[in-house]
Amino acid sequence: MSIHNDVTIAILAAGLGTRMKSRRAKVLHSAGGRTLMEHSVRTALSLAAPERVFAVVGHQAENVRQNVASYGIRFINQEEQKGTGHAILCGRNELASLGGMLLVFYGDCPLILPSTLESLIERHRSSSAAATMITTRLEEPTGYGRVVRNPAGALQSIVEQKAASPDQLKVREINAGIYCFRSELFWRYVDLLTANNPAGEYYLTDMISILIEHGHPVQAITLDDSAELLGINNRIELAAADRVLRARKVRQLLLDGVTIEKPETVTVDDQVLVGMDTVIGPFAQLRGNTVIGENCRIGACSIIEDSELADEVEIGPFTIVGTSKLERGVHAGPYARLRMGNHLAEDVHIGNFVELKKATLGAGTKAGHLAYLGDAIVGEGTNIGAGAITCNFDGVSKHQTKVGNHAFIGSNSTLVAPLEIASNSYVAAGSVITHNVPEQALALGRSRQVNKEGYAKKLARVKKSPA
Ligand code: UD1
Ligand code: MG
């Protein structure tokens, strides 16, 4: 793929997307872990420099801009959405002087491959056509613009679903909504667009017949494989696009040396990176900006989001990890929840039903079962017993718990923050610890056990059948 200096790209993304039945603009819906808008912008940027990529925005313009602000592209405002032709017209000031080719596609077609647009550009460049468009044949063309050809097979026009005659509705060749125009000719004739149609919109698709009627040849590339041309208009199509993008991502990971068990069940966002020889179990989900090292194991049904896992990390099944950093050799789960903001040093072991929130754990520290560590800093080689919890919230504010190196926190301890437990100390099981514990100390924070001799016999007298 290369960047073409003579190509200007316009992505149309101003529409509401009524058929989505949503309060959110259509292009802000996600498939494969990115918004439709982001998919379009990234595809455009594989072919043209950011200063020649324009997005036409209108509905929820500010949100759409923000969604792709980091890509450095330019924007055109379409205040009122009067159709795909009108959308381009709104950019006359920015676009008309740029010359070269004008490549237009819609922000609701997230599956188009850059290589397809590359061949569209090359095909257009090597011809004398005024425009080159992409078409395909569909079993079920309902909703798409139909491609009308004369008996000799030459392109004549595109008719929209609403305006098509019964005969035209039978046409299975459809307009994909991707066009390459010779910029100079496009702007020479664009004012001939009218809103003379059932929708009362300025249709970009009418440019095809306008150019042809004025003696300028238009050609079409007809793709055999229509899968990448899916236009998203409702949530059924959104789900279909999501499925395709997920399958593409999983396939790429497999090719890159990641083992995936039951790949069709796994959900991996586009931006996720996974190292070689890592094994991903069935139904795992890897989301957001997650980076996973080599030789890791991600257990079945685990969800990892916006997290960084070094090499050799093992995540047991049904474990949830959010915004956390796990160093080499960490073992977490099954059934653990590393909620957010955690940093686990090398070889930390987190077992079942342990919850961590903003916890920093030193190398080799273990919390094997049923614990809660929130707002905690724990040193190296410390053992957190089953059922131990930090009481980090007093009803008003959060407080921190600090535990040193090689400490032993007995089972079912209640650590009331703010609290410091120094290195090499012991907390006896079942203690409620409210005061700091010095180095080498044993802290006991529980009532002493009393054994009442013979008491069971006394009880038996009042019971019907003694145990
Ligand atoms: C359009 C094409 C149709 C094609 C189909 C392919 C037209 C008139 N029809 O129909 O031939 O088969 O795409 O998917 O072009 N938009 C604006 N401003 C507007 C109207 C739309 O920016 O005023 C944007 C929308 O945000 C959307 C894109 O243009 O991203 C396409 O609009 P949409 O309403 O989805 O057109 P279709 O009915 O799908
Ligand atoms: Mg559409």
Side-chain angles (χ1 to χ4, degrees):
M1 228 61 57
S2 52
I3 300 293
H4 301 268
N5 295 327
D6 59 343
V7 172
T8 300
I9 299 182
I11 302 166
L12 305 197
L16 163 64
T18 318
R19 290 163 279 181
M20 292 298 281
K21 306 224 168 106
S22 174
R23 303 198 196 288
R24 203 178 335 147
K26 174 165 71 178
V27 293
L28 292 178
H29 284 263
S30 292
R34 293 190 193 278
T35 61
L36 303 184
M37 191 61 195
E38 251 194 295
H39 285 292
S40 303
V41 169
R42 294 171 69 87
T43 302
L45 288 174
S46 66
L47 301 159
E51 57 275 11
R52 286 189 79 141
V53 174
F54 294 80
V56 181
V57 295
H59 195 80
Q60 296 180 2
E62 203 36 52
N63 297 343
V64 178
R65 273 169 194 262
Q66 267 169 26
N67 182 246
V68 291
S70 63
Y71 291 99
I73 61 161
R74 298 168 70 182
F75 296 94
I76 290 163
N77 270 323
Q78 186 192 21
E79 299 284 335
E80 225 185 311
Q81 284 75 58
K82 297 190 209 161
T84 47
H86 177 254
I88 294 283
L89 270 168
C90 290
R92 189 196 294 267
N93 287 345
E94 292 88 340
L95 302 173
S97 58
L98 287 173
M101 293 177 219
L102 175 64
L103 176 64
V104 181
F105 61 90
Y106 300 156
D108 67 352
C109 302
L111 303 183
I112 312 164
L113 295 171
S115 54
T116 303
L117 297 183
E118 183 81 49
S119 30
L120 174 69
I121 291 170
E122 291 316 327
R123 182 71 178 277
H124 185 71
R125 196 192 294 287
S126 61
S127 77
S128 55
T132 306
M133 60 179 287
I134 296 183
T135 74
T136 191
R137 288 193 177 77
L138 295 181
E139 284 299 319
E140 180 40 273
T142 307
Y144 286 93
R146 308 298 206 285
V147 176
V148 178
R149 294 175 182 268
N150 69 15
L155 267 182
Q156 278 188 312
S157 63
I158 299 169
V159 286
E160 291 305 302
Q161 173 87 21
K162 280 186 192 164
S165 67
D167 270 352
Q168 288 168 334
L169 287 177
K170 288 187 197 136
V171 172
R172 286 175 37 210
E173 188 183 4
I174 61 102
N175 166 33
I178 307 168
Y179 330 79
C180 206
F181 294 100
R182 264 171 63 193
S183 191
E184 184 263 318
L185 287 175
F186 181 89
W187 292 106
R188 194 194 302 173
Y189 293 106
V190 73
D191 292 313
L192 298 179
L193 287 179
T194 65
N196 253 338
N197 54 58
E201 293 187 354
Y202 294 88
Y203 285 157
L204 178 61
T205 43
D206 287 345
M207 279 308 286
I208 302 303
S209 52
I210 290 172
L211 289 167
I212 293 169
E213 279 158 22
H214 287 80
H216 300 287
V218 174
Q219 59 180 354
I221 300 180
T222 305
L223 295 192
D224 291 334
D225 181 7
S226 58
E228 61 177 290
L229 302 178
L230 176 70
I232 312 300
N233 294 308
N234 58 43
R235 299 201 197 219
I236 295 175
E237 288 158 347
L238 185 70
D242 186 69
R243 207 171 302 128
V244 172
L245 290 163
R246 301 291 180 199
R248 276 188 198 166
K249 177 70 182 182
V250 158
R251 185 185 140 79
Q252 190 57 50
L253 290 175
L254 292 167
L255 289 171
D256 290 346
V258 176
T259 294
I260 304 180
E261 297 164 0
K262 298 221 168 70
E264 65 284 3
T265 67
V266 162
T267 303
V268 184
D269 282 355
D270 193 35
Q271 57 273 49
V272 170
L273 302 174
V274 185
M276 246 193 297
D277 293 321
T278 282
V279 178
I280 300 174
F283 294 98
Q285 299 189 18
L286 307 180
R287 295 190 174 270
N289 291 315
T290 290
V291 179
I292 295 179
E294 295 189 4
N295 230 4
C296 292
R297 188 166 177 104
I298 310 299
C301 301
S302 292
I303 304 174
I304 320 263
E305 188 158 12
D306 294 325
S307 292
E308 210 179 304
L309 278 56
D311 297 343
E312 320 271 345
V313 168
E314 189 164 340
I315 301 295
F318 298 95
T319 294
I320 298 176
V321 180
T323 59
S324 296
K325 190 170 178 188
L326 280 56
E327 305 291 356
R328 177 188 281 268
V330 165
H331 192 296
Y335 300 103
R337 183 171 186 213
L338 280 53
R339 185 142 59 94
M340 60 183 275
N342 303 294
H343 183 196
L344 278 48
E346 293 192 1
D347 301 319
V348 161
H349 176 94
I350 299 300
N352 40 208
F353 306 108
V354 172
E355 179 181 348
L356 303 183
K357 188 217 85 176
K358 292 190 184 165
T360 298
L361 308 187
T365 281
K366 293 184 167 63
H369 340 255
L370 300 152
Y372 171 59
L373 299 174
D375 303 297
I377 300 178
V378 180
E380 298 177 10
T382 283
N383 190 85
I384 309 286
I389 58 164
T390 52
C391 305
N392 57 327
F393 186 50
D394 60 12
V396 181
S397 329
K398 298 276 165 66
H399 301 282
Q400 206 164 52
T401 301
K402 286 187 181 164
V403 181
N405 301 326
H406 307 288
F408 183 93
I409 308 298
S411 293
N412 239 28
S413 299
T414 302
L415 310 179
V416 182
L419 186 67
E420 288 190 30
I421 297 172
S423 294
N424 303 305
S425 61
Y426 277 77
V427 168
S431 293
V432 177
I433 301 295
T434 53
H435 300 292
N436 292 348
V437 178
E439 281 215 30
Q440 302 287 353
L442 165 67
L444 284 145
R446 65 189 189 209
S447 49
R448 198 174 276 277
Q449 179 175 337
V450 178
N451 287 345
K452 299 204 172 178
E453 293 290 338
Y455 194 77
K457 273 188 191 155
K458 263 199 230 168
L459 269 185
R461 256 185 261 139
V462 294
K463 280 192 195 165
K464 268 195 187 144
S465 51

